Amino acid sequence: MLKLIAITYLAASVACSIKGVSPENQHLYEPVIIDDVQYWHCLNDSSIRLTYNQINDNYCDCPDGSDEPGTNACENSKYYCENKGHFPAYIDSFKLNDGVCDYDVCCDGSDEPEGCENKCDVIHNQYVEYKENVEKFMATSLQTKEKYLQVAKTKKEKLSNDKTRLEQQLSSAQKQLERLRLELENKELEAELEEPSVYEALSDHFVNLNQKLQANKEILFTKNSHIDTLEQILHTLANNYNPNFNDPAVKESINKFKQYISNKQEVNNDIGDAQNVLEKLQQQAKSLTQGGGVVPTIANTFHYYYQLFTNTFLVAPQVPNLSNLGNNELSSQIDQLETQVKNIQRKLQEVVSNLNINAGPNDILRAFDTINKKISGYHYRISLLDSIYQDDVLIGRFKEFKDNKVYFDYGSRCWNGPQRAGDVEFVCGKGPDIVSVSEPEKCHYNFVIQGESWCEPMTEEEIRANFNIDYDKL
Ligand code: MAN
């Protein structure tokens, strides 16, 4: 019995050719023969059994439309056009027998039972030409894209190198700054430690005092010698005057002189004592610093405790004398270096934030300089990672690259409106070129930039899907 059925199927499959069904699907329409009658079941519902001649009878029996592949009776069915010489295709059933030759799908004209010439040869020739052009364009575009990718890569590498160089410059400037600061601090500490003693500070006064002492000694000596002379004269007078002259003034003077001599105490005329005192004062002053000590700074406090612990004199910290500069020059070099460090830090920050930008796949946005175009009376300038200008009006500054678009915001404010902003989309084509500008909302702009960098290799299916028939040449 099984064998018998199998033979029956084979016989049927040879006979069967259903309109609107592709050769590879013809087997789905093989009939089942029961009691010499041919039956068939809807493809998606085997419970619905039809007699074989209900297929393509222009009446829709199956919910999935599978019983009417060659007519427009079921709205959900699809008709297979063989399109010999071009590519087979399926057309929606509502386009069948509607009086229109749908050559874009059925170049063989089989969607219309009559009146549509087979145009597959012409259309296929058009397609071949189109495909060749697309492939040629794609080949050169992908080469151009490669160049832009290389430019982007080089620019990114340059940024990375700039970053490394700036980091090195920063590190060496900071080290030098640190050394100069230490050198200055060291010098100041040394200067503090080498502060002149009280003696040195007062040495001019000491010299002065000594000179004055000497001068007084001489004056004293002269005055003493005058007194000696006068006393000598009075002694001579007292010993030799003639008392018979009875001169009361002479007598009184001689008596007072005698009283003076007897009351006179021996005076130490030597000023050596004063000199000794001065000498001692000088010695003591030599061991004293001004103000009685060093003003405590972090450096000299550390120095002090270091000395306490090690009992070793801490020689100036091991700072090679870089400059041999005076303190003022050192300070001005430190100022210059501080400015330099700040500049390097600023540049480094710019480079780092530039490097951190998401500049699209393979950093492609980095490859482009400003893209310019005059459209509808306005001159647009688009710098993809920086800004967009409409003449001199700022449309916006770069915000981010997201979902294959670049967004710009914080542009100049519109008259009675919002701050301008915009976005840029990209399409594959010859470029870079601004191919469209629109303002979907007031002061919010949309730009389309075309360029080879946004081209991707196309599959044959994609080329076929993009192909459009030139109807004028049919
Ligand atoms: C200028 C341009 C236009 C914008 C108006 C808004 O004319 O920037 O794009 O729509 O200002 O006032």
Side-chain angles (χ1 to χ4, degrees):
M1 181 66 186
L2 267 178
K3 203 174 176 188
L4 182 67
I5 290 174
I7 289 166
T8 313
Y9 268 121
L10 185 64
S13 84
V14 170
C16 144
S17 174
I18 304 295
K19 191 174 176 341
V21 176
S22 68
E24 59 272 25
N25 286 340
Q26 287 289 342
H27 69 280
L28 301 174
Y29 288 82
E30 283 165 3
V32 181
I33 300 169
I34 304 169
D35 298 335
D36 283 340
V37 181
Q38 290 186 324
Y39 293 99
W40 180 80
H41 299 92
C42 296
L43 290 183
N44 282 350
D45 189 346
S46 57
S47 69
I48 303 176
R49 193 177 77 176
L50 307 177
T51 57
Y52 202 65
N53 56 14
Q54 283 182 282
I55 297 174
N56 279 339
D57 67 349
N58 215 12
Y59 184 84
C60 193
D61 299 292
C62 295
D64 63 356
S66 56
D67 63 314
E68 294 298 318
T71 75
N72 59 13
C74 295
E75 58 183 26
N76 52 351
S77 67
K78 293 211 184 262
Y79 171 83
Y80 172 81
C81 311
E82 191 185 358
N83 291 345
K84 224 171 176 178
H86 191 46
F87 303 104
Y90 285 93
I91 190 165
D92 292 322
S93 66
F94 74 89
K95 289 186 175 175
L96 289 179
N97 206 10
D98 64 349
V100 178
C101 307
D102 292 295
Y103 286 126
D104 56 334
V105 189
C106 292
C107 62
D108 58 6
S110 62
D111 57 315
E112 300 299 319
E114 49 204 47
C116 287
E117 211 183 308
N118 185 331
K119 302 271 186 186
C120 283
D121 285 350
V122 192
I123 290 173
H124 192 72
N125 286 344
Q126 282 188 12
Y127 168 74
V128 169
E129 195 185 332
Y130 169 76
K131 182 170 171 265
E132 274 172 13
N133 287 340
V134 168
E135 282 170 346
K136 223 188 274 168
F137 171 76
M138 272 301 159
T140 51
S141 293
L142 293 175
Q143 276 175 8
T144 309
K145 176 178 180 174
E146 207 41 57
K147 281 186 197 149
Y148 278 114
L149 285 172
Q150 196 50 49
V151 172
K153 193 172 165 211
T154 309
K155 284 194 180 171
K156 178 100 183 263
E157 278 167 2
K158 188 185 169 301
L159 276 177
S160 296
N161 293 342
D162 285 353
K163 178 173 173 258
T164 312
R165 182 177 45 79
L166 286 167
E167 279 168 348
Q168 283 164 354
Q169 280 180 4
L170 181 63
S171 153
S172 91
Q174 279 174 329
K175 272 187 200 145
Q176 204 188 347
L177 180 61
E178 212 168 294
R179 284 153 79 125
L180 288 185
R181 276 183 182 148
L182 206 52
E183 194 178 328
L184 179 63
E185 203 173 306
N186 213 32
K187 282 192 169 171
E188 282 172 351
L189 177 63
E190 274 174 12
E192 276 175 3
L193 292 172
E194 285 165 9
E195 207 173 358
S197 63
V198 170
Y199 168 74
E200 281 160 333
L202 298 178
S203 71
D204 283 354
H205 297 296
F206 281 127
V207 169
N208 215 351
L209 203 56
N210 234 331
Q211 282 170 350
K212 287 217 163 92
L213 218 51
Q214 282 306 322
N216 283 341
K217 192 177 171 183
E218 277 161 30
I219 291 167
L220 201 59
F221 181 80
T222 311
K223 284 188 174 165
N224 280 344
S225 98
H226 289 167
I227 290 171
D228 282 350
T229 309
L230 286 171
E231 281 183 357
Q232 205 50 53
I233 292 169
L234 285 170
H235 267 295
T236 309
L237 179 67
N239 291 336
N240 300 319
Y241 85 102
N242 188 348
N244 298 326
F245 285 162
N246 216 7
D247 182 339
V250 173
K251 276 185 182 171
E252 194 188 339
S253 296
I254 287 171
N255 283 339
K256 281 190 177 165
F257 173 65
K258 284 180 179 168
Q259 263 177 28
Y260 153 80
I261 290 295
S262 62
N263 290 334
K264 179 179 160 188
Q265 284 175 356
E266 219 26 68
V267 179
N268 184 3
N269 282 338
D270 196 355
I271 62 163
D273 277 355
Q275 272 180 314
N276 284 342
V277 171
L278 186 59
E279 188 64 31
K280 277 184 189 158
L281 194 59
Q282 285 179 354
Q283 287 305 328
Q284 207 167 352
K286 276 179 187 165
S287 65
L288 288 176
T289 52
Q290 288 182 55
V294 176
V295 181
T297 62
I298 292 174
N300 62 24
T301 307
F302 169 72
H303 189 161
Y304 172 75
Y305 284 108
Y306 183 83
Q307 262 183 284
L308 273 188
F309 280 117
T310 61
N311 205 19
T312 312
F313 184 73
L314 178 64
V315 194
Q318 293 302 304
V319 184
N321 200 352
L322 291 173
S323 51
N324 265 336
L325 297 172
N327 289 11
N328 288 345
E329 282 160 308
L330 259 178
S331 299
S332 105
Q333 282 219 352
I334 287 171
D335 288 349
Q336 281 175 23
L337 265 172
E338 280 171 347
T339 314
Q340 201 178 323
V341 163
K342 274 185 201 147
N343 283 341
I344 300 174
Q345 279 170 331
R346 185 180 39 74
K347 282 187 198 156
L348 185 58
Q349 204 182 335
E350 277 171 20
V351 170
V352 169
S353 48
N354 192 341
L355 270 173
N356 287 341
I357 286 175
N358 173 5
N362 297 311
D363 280 295
I364 192 65
L365 301 181
R366 296 188 191 279
F368 298 96
D369 297 327
T370 306
I371 303 167
N372 297 278
K373 192 160 183 183
K374 194 161 181 175
I375 300 175
S376 310
Y378 291 113
H379 183 202
Y380 290 96
R381 283 176 287 143
I382 302 182
S383 307
L384 289 171
L385 292 179
D386 186 64
S387 56
I388 301 181
Y389 280 90
Q390 180 195 54
D391 293 335
D392 288 333
V393 175
L394 178 67
I395 297 285
R397 297 224 167 268
F398 173 82
K399 182 187 174 201
E400 59 181 340
F401 173 83
K402 205 175 159 191
D403 303 329
N404 289 320
K405 283 188 185 185
V406 189
Y407 291 87
F408 294 80
D409 59 8
Y410 293 112
S412 52
R413 190 168 288 285
C414 267
W415 176 253
N416 275 341
Q419 258 184 298
R420 287 178 175 79
D423 56 64
V424 178
E425 290 175 61
F426 302 96
V427 291
C428 163
K430 205 169 158 42
D433 187 19
I434 306 171
V435 287
S436 113
V437 182
S438 57
E439 205 177 329
E441 286 167 47
K442 192 178 178 190
C443 296
H444 195 119
Y445 302 80
N446 171 265
F447 297 85
V448 180
I449 288 183
Q450 166 182 294
E452 295 84 348
S453 301
W454 291 278
C455 295
E456 295 294 340
M458 282 171 90
T459 61
E460 180 142 10
E461 284 67 38
E462 287 168 329
I463 295 176
R464 229 185 284 167
N466 282 336
F467 167 64
N468 290 314
I469 297 167
D470 184 349
Y471 287 96
D472 294 341
K473 290 188 181 159
L474 283 190

